[in-house]
Amino acid sequence: MPQKRSITFALSAFDDLEAIRAWYKDQRVPDVGERLIGEIIAQVERLADLPESGRVVPEIGIANLREIIDPPFRIVYRLDGTKVKIVRIWRSERLLTMPLK
């Protein structure tokens, strides 16, 4: 049986979750924000058992940089050995760009 992978969050992903929570609170529907964050966390938790279930991020094309589309969000994560690191959680229509070196 394959080993479960540990899951960590980059600071950027934590910030994304807080921004989602704040936006829905500002819209006066905090319960919607909490429900969506719960759905995002459920998607993330399944990566412990199914780390390669997400697709390769198409605009990057790197095998260990993957994403789960959970409308209206995309959860971008990196596979690193026995670890899964959640990198960003964005609106699904937003394109991921690589920083300039």
Side-chain angles (χ1 to χ4, degrees), residues 52-90:
E52 295 182 2
S53 61
R55 70 179 185 173
V56 172
V57 177
E59 61 267 31
I60 304 297
I62 298 172
N64 69 331
L65 190 63
R66 296 179 172 263
E67 68 182 354
I68 298 170
I69 304 297
D70 186 27
F73 300 104
R74 71 193 294 200
I75 304 161
V76 180
Y77 64 98
R78 186 177 74 226
L79 295 176
D80 186 16
T82 61
K83 299 176 185 172
V84 173
K85 186 166 193 172
I86 309 304
V87 180
R88 297 305 307 245
I89 302 164
W90 283 339

Side-chain angles (χ1 to χ4, degrees), residues 36-53:
L36 289 171
I37 288 172
E39 291 173 9
I40 290 167
I41 297 301
Q43 290 291 332
V44 167
E45 287 175 341
R46 79 179 172 91
L47 293 173
D49 293 317
L50 302 166
E52 295 182 2
S53 61

Side-chain angles (χ1 to χ4, degrees), residues 9-22:
F9 284 76
L11 183 56
S12 55
F14 275 123
D15 290 346
D16 293 339
L17 287 173
E18 287 305 313
I20 291 166
R21 178 176 279 122

